Amino acid sequence: MAAIPPKPSHSYNQPGQSSDVSWRDQQQRIREWEEEYGADHKRLTEALGGIDAIENRFDSVGREGLPEAYLLGFSTKGDGRAIIANGNPDEADHTSVYVPGTGASLPSVGGDITRMNSLWRTADAMTEGENVSTILWVGYDAPDDPKLNSPFPHYAHDGAAAFSNFTEGIKEANTAESGGHHTAIGHSYGTTVIGATARMHVLYVDDVIFAGSPGVEVSHATEMDVPIGHVWNQEAEGDWVPEIGRFSHGGGFVVPSDVFFGAKQMTTDTQGHSNYWQYESESLRNQAAVVTGNYGEVSLEE
């Protein structure tokens, strides 16, 4: 931000005022500033909001039981990148990596941090003396607009290699005696990233959870690089994304909500597309049960 000069002010040099700089010249200076610096100024200003959210997470260690936070990746380029872990994934018995969907960026990271805080609290309460880490992975360029950008697959394809490498690194670095239990969680377009990773590369996890998926580029759960029975799905009442998205990202127009995809359909008590991480909801508890390997506590649709 320091490299960008301040925007010329509108507060003086109005018509009729006496000044060394005419009103017309001042307006020209403003237009020139907007053309040269406006976009970068807007992007960096918005990024500062995300940075504040990250700093707030680090300041909240110990509040409501939250563990230490770890910044595993960060960039302000483009829409920004942020990879943040609750709890140390190197020592965790249970680790989840959450991939958000359309609109995910550094400026919007605050809401996704809150989701992973809620998942950590819920999962931690289900364990007895085991370590849990919940990771937010904004490590790809997500679509910006659900209508204009999200129907296209190249965002998922471009992010797939990075996600494969990240899941491999997290698994290799784990020092838990068991080697750790790892879960990939995707929301909306984030599920497409996870599906593209399994289709194009390797997904180094033990379980996969999809929520509000528009399709994952494969037509059956057995193509997801995890053991049979370890692909889980949620579709809440009023979530329109799976039905519309299947025409863009479904494997043969098949989405994880379809019975013949072969995922285990978890019950949800939340509404719409964005509330799967509502604290103390059944939707969130089901995810936490999978993350901690408490499969018997997962509630499934009949």
Side-chain angles (χ1 to χ4, degrees), residues 1 40 43-48 50-51 54 73-82 105-107:
M1 291 288 286
D40 284 340
R43 176 178 60 82
L44 293 172
T45 300
E46 292 175 345
L48 286 174
I51 293 171
I54 294 171
F74 178 82
S75 174
T76 59
K77 293 182 179 179
D79 289 339
R81 302 285 189 273
S105 63
L106 179 57

Side-chain angles (χ1 to χ4, degrees), residues 17 43 67 82 100 110-111 113 115 122 132 177 190 212 217 238 244 246 252 270 289:
Q17 288 185 322
R43 176 178 60 82
I113 289 175
R115 288 178 175 182
T122 306
V132 175
E177 185 175 347
E217 297 199 339
I244 293 178
R246 70 171 66 242
T270 51

Side-chain angles (χ1 to χ4, degrees), residues 257-302:
S257 298
D258 296 329
V259 173
F260 33 89
F261 180 84
K264 290 185 175 180
Q265 304 295 326
M266 298 192 292
T267 57
T268 61
D269 60 343
T270 51
Q271 303 288 316
H273 186 58
S274 301
N275 295 316
Y276 295 97
W277 291 269
Q278 184 176 314
Y279 193 54
E280 297 186 338
S281 67
E282 182 181 49
S283 302
L284 183 61
R285 286 194 298 272
N286 278 334
Q287 289 192 30
V290 173
V291 168
T292 56
N294 289 302
Y295 304 121
E297 297 185 27
V298 179
S299 176
L300 299 175
E301 294 181 358
E302 298 181 356

Side-chain angles (χ1 to χ4, degrees), residues 174-261:
N174 189 277
T175 60
E177 185 175 347
S178 64
H181 169 236
H182 296 80
T183 303
I185 305 174
H187 177 231
S188 195
Y189 196 93
T191 71
T192 309
V193 175
I194 294 174
T197 302
R199 183 178 67 80
M200 302 170 68
H201 304 281
V202 179
L203 192 58
Y204 295 91
V205 296
D206 306 294
D207 284 278
V208 173
I209 298 173
F210 297 132
S213 176
V216 296
E217 297 199 339
V218 299
S219 59
H220 200 271
T222 54
E223 301 175 74
M224 287 306 305
D225 292 343
V226 295
I228 294 175
H230 287 261
V231 177
W232 313 79
N233 186 69
Q234 292 179 314
E235 181 183 341
E237 184 178 348
D239 188 346
W240 51 268
V241 168
E243 199 55 41
I244 293 178
R246 70 171 66 242
F247 301 105
S248 298
H249 305 300
F253 302 137
V254 176
V255 298
S257 298
D258 296 329
V259 173
F260 33 89
F261 180 84

Side-chain angles (χ1 to χ4, degrees), residues 59-72:
D59 292 340
S60 65
V61 172
R63 296 178 192 169
E64 300 182 7
L66 282 176
E68 291 186 347
Y70 297 81
L71 187 62
L72 307 182

Side-chain angles (χ1 to χ4, degrees), residues 16-34:
Q17 288 185 322
S18 176
S19 172
D20 293 336
V21 181
S22 71
W23 180 83
R24 182 173 297 176
D25 288 343
Q26 181 70 4
Q27 299 309 303
Q28 179 62 30
R29 290 184 180 185
I30 292 172
R31 286 193 294 270
E32 290 174 352
W33 185 94
E34 287 286 358

